[in-house]
Amino acid sequence: MQTIKLREEFIKLGQVLKAGGLVDSGVDAKFVIQDGLVKVNHEVEYQRGKKLVAGDIVEYNGEQIKIEK
């Protein structure tokens, strides 16, 4: 499981996928999220702009990223 440290109060879901190297671009993030392939805290998430905070876990394509403060 990868971790991403927050620099601010939150980070958006699309940014997490890019920062974690799970997608190559914001456009790719948009499509995998719209297609229902991404989970946040074990539930499918369809909002690319979903604000994630410390403790949230993102899952995509067999990979997981935990958000830390």
Side-chain angles (χ1 to χ4, degrees):
M1 178 183 297
Q2 297 185 55
T3 59
I4 290 183
K5 292 211 180 270
L6 290 174
R7 290 186 225 149
E8 308 206 3
E9 294 287 318
F10 64 87
I11 185 170
K12 293 183 180 177
L13 179 54
Q15 294 172 320
V16 169
L17 294 176
K18 283 177 26 182
L22 302 185
V23 296
D24 294 328
S25 69
V27 173
D28 291 339
K30 176 182 176 180
F31 289 131
V32 298
I33 293 167
Q34 282 182 344
D35 290 346
L37 302 175
V38 179
K39 291 182 179 180
V40 175
N41 300 326
H42 309 293
E43 298 203 11
V44 176
E45 180 58 59
Y46 295 98
Q47 297 178 0
R48 180 172 80 173
K50 169 87 174 166
K51 295 177 181 178
L52 305 177
V53 296
D56 286 339
I57 296 176
V58 176
E59 300 174 56
Y60 170 65
N61 202 22
E63 301 282 334
Q64 290 186 329
I65 299 175
K66 184 174 184 178
I67 311 302
E68 293 184 345
K69 195 150 194 163

